[in-house]
Amino acid sequence: MKPTVVLVGRPNVGKSTLFNRLTRSRDAIVADMPGLTRDRHYGHGRVGDKPYLVVDTGGFEPVVKEGILHEMAKQTLQAVDEADVVVFIVDGRTGLTAQDKVIADKLRRSGRSVHLVVNKAEGMNRGSVTAEFHELGLGEPVAISASHGEGVRELMELVLADLPDVTEEEGKKPTHPKFAIVGRPNVGKSTLVNSILGEERVIAFDLPGTTRDSIYIDFERSGKQYTIIDTAGIRRRGKVKEAIEKFSVIKTLQSAEDANVVVLVLDAQQEISDQDAGIAGFILESGRALVVAVNKWDGLDDYRRDRIKHDLDRKLKFLGFAKFHFISALHGKGVGALLQSIDEAYSAAMANLSTPKLTRVLLAAVQKQAPPRKGPVRPKMRYAHQGGMNPPIVVVHGSGLDEIPESYVRYLEHTFVEVFKLQGTPLRVQFKQSHNPFADKG
Ligand SMILES: Nc1nc2c(ncn2[C@@H]2O[C@H](COP(=O)(O)OP(=O)(O)OP(=O)(O)O)[C@@H](O)[C@H]2O)c(=O)[nH]1
Ligand SMILES: Nc1nc2c(ncn2[C@@H]2O[C@H](COP(=O)(O)OP(=O)(O)OP(=O)(O)O)[C@@H](O)[C@H]2O)c(=O)[nH]1
């Protein structure tokens, strides 16, 4: 599973500046999806071949108005609790403050692994800028400049050094669908898991766990093997749901990363909320295959059904690649069809796309509509091969491919998806310049 790095610190120390720097390159992938809403607190980062999730806790809750911050915001504490590593940022220009001490104390008691980072250190002597922060008792402070990008890469290498390497695990080819049921509180995730597995099964697996673990359940249906990742499972204990735990975006993201198919559950009896769209945005960014379950479809008249469909069209347009199912988890309606779509999405995400066929499809697409010329060089696309799975990545080789417009990339994506019938997974097209030995000669 990808490690989660949580950025903590008092206001104005540079958390979001660092966050933006860590997540910038990844954002480009889904930069201009129409309608996509993303919560700018959660993102994907990578150092070398090590991927991680990063959380900016700044602005999670309104800043306490008077006096020093006596208590870290609840949401921040939850994020710290669910983190693999905490990066605690202080301001090298302001120097050590009382608030820093309060936060340091909380972090020390959290038992998490903490890296102390002194930001805004550009043009300053490393030794002297970090000196006073030793007093926080969180080990050797690391000096960086988030806005200038100094020391950031070294910092992330250090932060990730002690964590288990996930790249090897990622490379393993899965053998069957492993799907995560995600969605905001109360949409019916537990009910859906029950409906898929059958009551007895769930009770048998209803093991107490720690708050941060999801439950993984293997099951068989119609002779086929599945693994379900149940993020809600831990809360479901017998009759009464005591103290419903706070919704965890981190847990949702982690389980989506770990799955090969995500089932996003929505509540048809409520409006599609910003939180729904936010979760949908993360799933899109993760590149996972997706099936949408619009739950609680029972008890709605035609007018309301039309309205919700309209609402979905408008707010979740960017999930056009996914199949939508209108189900009732409570009455077990539509659950079989949902599983079929999970199978289909899984196969699409894991499809083997042969180089000759990809190349044929590419050349036919180019023939039908050539990439627009920009500047003096005409883009030339020569061949395509598969560069990855889950999501399928098609690497197009050629020359003059620097400035292919986004609309043309989408055109190619749609063409590959249609010809290879890849329902339920996003597909990405990447370009690779090959040096053309004849280009300079005339
Ligand atoms: N000189 C200098 N300024 C920086 C650096 N990093 C961030 N800043 C500035 O510090 C200010 C606060 O940065 P933010 O990234 O918004 O800080 P934050 O911790 O996210 O603040 P909150 O959202 O209020 O918690 C901005 O004016 C940044 O431009 C740095 O490395 N050097
Ligand atoms: N009418 C109707 N109600 C449903 C359906 N599915 C679930 N519910 C109800 O919605 C409520 C929430 O269901 P849960 O399965 O606990 O939802 P959850 O998403 O697991 O909720 P959290 O544990 O808070 O994340 C319960 O009262 C369910 O009985 C459905 O298909 N139709």
Side-chain angles (χ1 to χ4, degrees):
M1 202 182 276
K2 279 189 195 176
T4 302
V5 179
V6 171
L7 310 181
V8 178
R10 60 180 182 77
N12 222 37
V13 293
K15 294 182 295 298
S16 48
T17 307
L18 181 59
F19 177 86
N20 288 336
R21 186 168 283 283
L22 297 177
T23 58
R24 192 184 300 158
S25 58
R26 282 297 304 261
D27 281 350
I29 297 171
V30 289
D32 56 3
M33 282 283 175
L36 176 63
T37 349
R38 263 170 317 148
D39 188 331
R40 293 300 304 145
H41 286 105
Y42 303 87
H44 293 82
R46 184 179 282 275
V47 224
D49 59 358
K50 282 190 177 175
Y52 57 91
L53 298 170
V54 56
V55 182
D56 172 10
T57 59
F60 259 3
E61 267 157 65
V63 177
V64 175
K65 287 193 189 74
E66 30 186 282
I68 60 163
L69 193 67
H70 281 293
E71 239 194 305
M72 273 163 80
K74 261 210 197 111
Q75 233 182 315
T76 302
L77 285 175
Q78 188 188 347
V80 166
D81 195 45
E82 293 173 344
D84 292 293
V85 198
V86 176
V87 169
F88 173 32
I89 308 169
V90 292
D91 186 330
R93 302 206 171 230
T94 316
L96 185 60
T97 71
Q99 247 172 302
D100 291 333
K101 292 184 192 171
V102 176
I103 297 172
D105 192 42
K106 288 269 179 201
L107 291 179
R108 235 180 293 106
R109 277 192 253 164
S110 74
R112 299 275 116 201
S113 149
V114 179
H115 290 266
L116 175 59
V117 173
V118 182
N119 189 32
K120 312 192 185 179
E122 72 275 6
M124 293 170 91
N125 177 285
R126 291 198 172 206
S128 48
V129 73
T130 55
E132 63 179 321
F133 295 103
H134 283 94
E135 175 187 327
L136 292 174
L138 288 167
E140 187 63 34
V142 180
I144 67 161
S145 168
S147 59
H148 291 63
E150 290 167 22
V152 172
R153 192 192 162 88
E154 294 80 351
L155 168 68
M156 292 319 290
E157 279 168 359
L158 188 71
V159 164
L160 296 174
D162 301 333
L163 299 171
D165 197 352
V166 293
T167 37
E168 198 177 304
E169 190 187 316
E170 264 192 348
K172 251 190 258 161
K173 195 173 184 303
T175 54
H176 62 269
K178 177 158 78 162
F179 61 95
I181 307 274
V182 308
R184 65 187 163 85
N186 213 43
V187 292
K189 297 183 296 296
S190 304
T191 310
L192 179 58
V193 172
N194 277 344
S195 175
I196 291 172
L197 297 173
E199 281 310 324
E200 322 89 87
R201 203 53 202 251
V202 175
I203 290 159
F205 279 92
D206 194 7
L207 310 166
T210 63
T211 42
R212 55 164 303 162
D213 292 330
S214 299
I215 293 179
Y216 289 60
I217 306 162
D218 291 330
F219 69 101
E220 229 181 73
R221 180 134 166 176
S222 313
K224 284 194 204 131
Q225 188 70 35
Y226 300 87
T227 302
I228 191 166
I229 305 177
D230 176 13
T231 48
I234 302 137
R235 297 195 287 279
R236 188 182 47 236
R237 290 211 227 302
K239 309 129 244 164
V240 200
K241 245 196 218 173
E242 318 143 4
I244 293 179
E245 213 182 299
K246 229 185 196 170
F247 176 67
S248 166
V249 178
I250 294 179
K251 223 189 288 170
T252 303
L253 289 181
Q254 286 175 331
S255 58
E257 289 291 336
D258 205 31
N260 42 47
V261 181
V262 176
V263 177
L264 171 63
V265 186
L266 303 170
D267 184 340
Q269 304 193 356
Q270 304 282 325
E271 294 276 306
I272 303 303
S273 70
D274 287 350
Q275 200 176 20
D276 291 321
I279 298 170
F282 300 133
I283 299 168
L284 181 70
E285 202 172 343
S286 75
R288 293 295 173 248
L290 173 67
V291 181
V292 181
V294 185
N295 189 34
K296 309 195 189 178
W297 201 236
D298 51 285
L300 291 177
D301 59 26
D302 288 347
Y303 172 74
R304 290 189 63 194
R305 287 181 174 186
D306 274 352
R307 253 193 52 187
I308 187 94
K309 281 183 173 168
H310 186 75
D311 208 26
L312 289 168
D313 266 354
R314 201 163 55 85
K315 293 184 179 155
L316 301 180
K317 212 184 188 64
F318 56 92
L319 299 184
F321 64 93
K323 210 172 215 172
F324 282 62
H325 285 264
F326 300 90
I327 69 164
S328 169
L330 194 61
H331 298 104
K333 291 245 168 68
V335 174
L338 187 72
L339 273 167
Q340 277 172 22
S341 284
I342 291 171
D343 283 336
E344 190 179 54
Y346 172 75
S347 305
M350 300 301 164
N352 279 308
L353 313 172
S354 84
T355 302
K357 189 163 181 199
L358 278 173
T359 302
R360 269 203 308 280
V361 174
L362 171 73
L363 297 180
V366 169
Q367 176 126 56
K368 197 166 156 208
Q369 191 186 324
R373 184 190 198 119
K374 218 177 181 193
V377 195
R378 175 173 288 286
K380 182 119 184 71
M381 299 186 176
R382 294 174 206 283
Y383 70 97
H385 81 272
Q386 185 168 9
M389 286 178 180
N390 202 201
I393 296 170
V394 178
V395 185
V396 171
H397 294 255
S399 53
L401 304 179
D402 284 334
E403 293 192 68
I404 301 294
E406 206 51 42
S407 57
Y408 197 81
V409 179
R410 299 264 180 274
Y411 162 67
L412 289 181
E413 284 173 5
H414 282 139
T415 305
F416 290 124
V417 161
E418 238 158 65
V419 175
F420 288 92
K421 299 193 173 61
L422 301 177
Q423 170 80 52
T425 178
L427 175 141
R428 287 172 186 161
V429 170
Q430 293 173 357
F431 297 104
K432 196 151 191 165
Q433 297 281 0
S434 40
H435 180 67
N436 179 356
F438 303 107
D440 303 332
K441 293 189 180 162

